Amino acid sequence: GATQPRDGGIAVSTTVTRPRNAPNAVDWIVETAGGQPKIVDVVAEGTSLRLTQRSDYASFLSRNNGNVADLIAALKKQTS
């Protein structure tokens, strides 16, 4: 796909196609860290995964009196 500067990195634009679904525009935001490229965000159809997750975490913390330990426990539960 095409590349363009974006958010301090480079956006690599792609189109994801799946059977029986419309194609989706997906940008992979890549930054260089320690001399190596690293994907720092995925933007699907204009929605940033990084910003969505940040909002979800802030909402969780708001509902749980800012308890970061509870957030970590919930994240561990999701990945187990």
Side-chain angles (χ1 to χ4, degrees), residues 49-64:
L49 181 60
R50 177 172 47 186
L51 294 179
T52 300
Q53 284 182 328
R54 185 179 300 154
S55 176
D56 289 347
Y57 297 159
S59 178
F60 181 94
L61 289 169
S62 173
R63 291 190 315 270
N64 290 276

Side-chain angles (χ1 to χ4, degrees), residues 13-26 28 44-45:
S13 298
T14 62
T15 301
V16 176
T17 57
R18 296 174 296 161
R20 297 180 302 279
N21 287 291
N24 292 62
V26 178
W28 306 85
E45 295 297 325

Side-chain angles (χ1 to χ4, degrees), residues 6-7 9 11 13 18 20 22 29 32-33 36 47 50 59 69 71 73 76 79:
R6 181 166 174 179
D7 299 332
S13 298
R18 296 174 296 161
R20 297 180 302 279
I29 311 303
T32 302
Q36 298 295 317
T47 302
R50 177 172 47 186
S59 178
L71 174 60
K76 284 182 179 179
T79 60

